[in-house]
Amino acid sequence: VKVLSRNPDDYVRETKLDLQRVPRNYDPALHPFEVAREYTRALNATKLERVFAKPFLSSLDGHRDGVNCMAKHPKSLSTVLSGACDGEVKIWNLTKRQCIRTIQAHEGFVRGMCARFCGTSFFTVGDDKTVKQWKMESPEYGEEEEPIHTILGKTVYTGIDHHWKEPVFATCGHQVDIWDEQRTSPKCSLTWGFDSISSVKFNPIETYLLGSCASDRNIVLYDMRKSTPLKKVILNMRTNTLCWNPMEAFIFTAANEDYNLYTFDMRFLESPVMVHMDHVSAVLDVDYSPTGKEFVSASFDKSIRIFPVDKGHSREVYHTKRMQHVITVKWTSDNKYILCGSDEMNIRLWKANASEKLGVLAPREKAAMNYNQKLKEKFQFHPQIRRIAQHRHLPKSIYCQIKEQRIMREARRRKELNRRKHSKPGSVPLVPERKKHIVAVVK
């Protein structure tokens, strides 16, 4: 028997407040203007994204001197630690946006800090030549605020990082020292040449590997299992700090004084995988997102930028009128927020995705956002949409410097072209951009 069967789920509303369900026929012949309609929607979605791009959330104030370093809590998303130039360490609760605890940790600057992998304690190093280990919990009523351990060194320590799985930490200064938490003297010291080392970082995947940046323009890689350095790469200018990619064991990004960031593969140090250019002053800090797809950089030019790992230019630039030279930056472990500490005593909290809506989304909101995202991806190379999506407001100083540097770069390129044109063929070699900044690789 031929029967017309209809499923009420296809056309009946669930509640009175729901929209009427519309039957859809997906046959392309019935939708001749689909692309035009989708283009309009993509354009509107792109414009709305720029309208809602309000990345700044709040500032955590309380420090009485410039914020020099920050550390994330490995187990708690809402806890962050910060150290200032007057030796003060503060622990913040990000959900309440207030300071939970203040410690006068050092005489002079707090040069570096890191949390233990289990989250029960944290380490700080300062200008007073000491390494101190502190409890993460506040002291009980009547207890003194004292470190668990204090190690007095011979020289000033400029950085510290903890191993991701073992009770081992590394400090740097005059040399790289590997310490056992139970001992007051380093188990091994690693040097290559003589110079001050500004930062040291453990690899989160291959946990026995370390990278360090020295002020003689070197980036040196060490293996903890051997008591000698592995290899080093010498750049044109000094590298301030480096950060390992948390998803790809061999990739790290270095923040350099020559306004650029370099992403290296540690197996092929002869040329960087990518040169990221956009800053107009020295890059002071860099931190990866937990997905390993993007990283954020802090610069002396009073702005922070977000770069995709595989792109040479930033997708986002954040700045405020009051923000001064940004010294330290961190990307939170839930991939949603960015924290930056700057000269004028403030820690600022930003959204990692500038136009993202915070809070719980209704299913229909989520579906609409996903649809808009796909439309923006589909039409991203269309000139009108691309222009709107890429437009950013910049402070006048940065805007003028970018213009100036563009002219200088163009002049250099023209000069090189002329030299090549009027020389004997082959006498002026063509050096690619990636190789220009590398001086040598030593193994």
Side-chain angles (χ1 to χ4, degrees):
V1 182
K2 287 187 179 175
V3 178
L4 280 176
S5 89
R6 297 171 72 191
N7 184 0
D9 287 351
D10 295 338
Y11 58 90
V12 176
R13 294 184 294 176
E14 284 178 14
T15 67
K16 263 194 274 187
L17 303 173
D18 252 354
L19 296 181
Q20 285 284 2
R21 297 216 171 165
V22 182
R24 291 282 313 270
N25 187 336
Y26 291 101
D27 177 15
L30 300 174
H31 301 287
F33 300 118
E34 188 179 23
V35 174
R37 243 181 262 129
E38 282 193 342
Y39 170 73
T40 309
R41 284 175 194 165
L43 190 63
N44 290 340
T46 310
K47 285 177 181 173
L48 283 175
E49 182 190 43
R50 297 315 313 143
V51 167
F52 291 125
K54 299 211 168 17
F56 180 70
L57 292 173
S58 73
S59 71
L60 312 171
D61 47 347
H63 275 296
R64 290 172 301 188
D65 208 334
V67 182
N68 199 45
C69 55
M70 286 197 295
K72 291 184 282 197
H73 193 293
K75 294 283 194 304
S76 154
L77 281 175
S78 59
T79 310
V80 70
L81 307 106
S82 65
C85 299
D86 57 354
E88 205 173 56
V89 168
K90 281 184 182 286
I91 302 178
W92 303 88
N93 184 336
L94 291 182
T95 40
K96 294 179 183 166
R97 296 179 192 175
Q98 65 193 59
C99 175
I100 316 170
R101 181 170 161 217
T102 305
I103 307 164
Q104 186 58 47
H106 294 277
E107 302 287 321
F109 283 43
V110 181
R111 286 289 172 192
M113 60 197 308
C114 65
R116 200 170 185 272
F117 60 90
C118 60
T120 52
S121 62
F122 64 94
F123 295 82
T124 60
V125 292
D127 276 358
D128 51 4
K129 303 183 184 176
T130 56
V131 181
K132 293 184 181 178
Q133 182 181 5
W134 307 83
K135 270 191 188 157
M136 198 64 85
E137 275 79 45
S138 303
E140 298 292 323
Y141 180 71
E143 259 190 293
E144 287 290 310
E145 183 76 87
E146 282 182 339
I148 311 171
H149 298 302
T150 305
I151 300 166
L152 185 60
K154 295 185 179 69
T155 56
V156 173
Y157 296 112
T158 54
I160 185 167
D161 197 29
H162 202 285
H163 193 283
W164 291 75
K165 292 194 178 80
E166 293 167 22
V168 172
F169 64 91
T171 60
C172 63
H174 177 59
Q175 61 197 18
V176 172
D177 294 327
I178 312 285
W179 306 75
D180 196 305
E181 282 180 18
Q182 262 58 53
R183 294 168 58 182
T184 54
S185 58
K187 35 181 219 178
C188 75
S189 297
L190 306 160
T191 57
W192 192 344
F194 297 96
D195 220 311
S196 60
I197 296 160
S198 57
S199 85
V200 61
K201 290 282 167 73
F202 273 101
N203 191 323
I205 302 167
E206 303 288 350
T207 48
Y208 45 80
L209 287 176
L210 298 110
S212 77
C213 310
S215 57
D216 55 357
R217 306 175 304 165
N218 292 347
I219 299 172
V220 190
L221 302 175
Y222 309 94
D223 191 331
M224 218 169 66
R225 299 167 301 182
K226 298 196 289 184
S227 53
T228 54
L230 291 175
K231 48 184 168 180
K232 69 175 172 182
V233 54
I234 307 167
L235 298 166
N236 273 331
M237 286 178 85
R238 194 179 82 197
T239 301
N240 287 315
T241 182
L242 61 87
C243 186
W244 294 93
N245 190 324
M247 286 293 164
E248 296 182 63
F250 303 110
I251 306 289
F252 66 90
T253 296
N256 203 281
E257 284 280 322
D258 65 358
Y259 314 171
N260 298 340
L261 294 116
Y262 301 99
T263 299
F264 283 98
D265 187 325
M266 64 171 277
R267 297 163 296 183
F268 316 106
L269 290 175
E270 284 71 28
S271 78
V273 182
M274 188 52 88
V275 180
H276 309 272
M277 326 165 103
D278 256 343
H279 282 295
V280 292
S281 195
V283 190
L284 301 180
D285 199 11
V286 58
D287 193 36
Y288 263 93
S289 76
T291 57
K293 294 265 179 73
E294 293 179 321
F295 59 84
V296 60
S297 64
S299 169
F300 200 75
D301 64 15
K302 309 177 187 177
S303 70
I304 60 175
R305 285 180 184 267
I306 301 172
F307 290 88
V309 176
D310 51 353
K311 301 271 195 309
H313 293 287
S314 61
R315 74 160 171 88
E316 207 62 79
V317 53
Y318 294 161
H319 54 85
T320 66
K321 274 187 179 167
R322 293 187 178 187
M323 187 154 78
Q324 294 302 307
H325 312 305
V326 193
I327 299 170
T328 172
V329 72
K330 284 274 177 274
W331 198 309
T332 57
S333 308
D334 61 350
N335 199 27
K336 274 195 187 309
Y337 306 103
I338 287 167
L339 289 148
C340 70
S342 47
D343 254 355
E344 76 322 321
M345 307 179 275
N346 262 343
I347 296 167
R348 287 182 174 76
L349 182 65
W350 309 82
K351 288 192 273 193
N353 189 357
S355 57
E356 185 181 26
K357 188 180 174 193
L358 299 179
V360 183
L361 294 180
R364 278 190 34 219
E365 267 184 310
K366 209 178 275 181
M369 281 171 71
N370 290 342
Y371 177 58
N372 284 344
Q373 190 57 40
K374 281 290 168 219
L375 283 179
K376 282 184 288 199
E377 280 171 30
K378 182 176 174 181
F379 291 96
Q380 62 183 339
F381 297 114
H382 199 283
Q384 189 78 3
I385 286 177
R386 192 171 171 199
R387 185 185 64 79
I388 295 166
Q390 286 187 344
H391 178 77
R392 295 288 179 278
H393 174 267
L394 290 169
K396 192 177 177 188
S397 58
I398 295 181
Y399 182 76
C400 294
Q401 278 174 291
I402 286 176
K403 219 149 86 173
E404 200 176 302
Q405 281 178 7
R406 193 180 294 135
I407 293 165
M408 284 155 68
R409 210 177 298 129
E410 193 51 45
R412 279 198 295 268
R413 198 181 69 86
R414 224 173 24 245
K415 186 175 178 181
E416 197 182 329
L417 280 174
N418 287 341
R419 189 173 283 160
R420 191 171 294 114
K421 197 159 64 176
H422 298 291
S423 303
K424 198 169 111 187
S427 63
V428 181
L430 193 67
V431 184
E433 183 64 47
R434 293 180 189 183
K435 299 250 174 146
K436 276 179 192 168
H437 310 280
I438 308 291
V439 177
V441 176
V442 188
K443 290 184 184 172

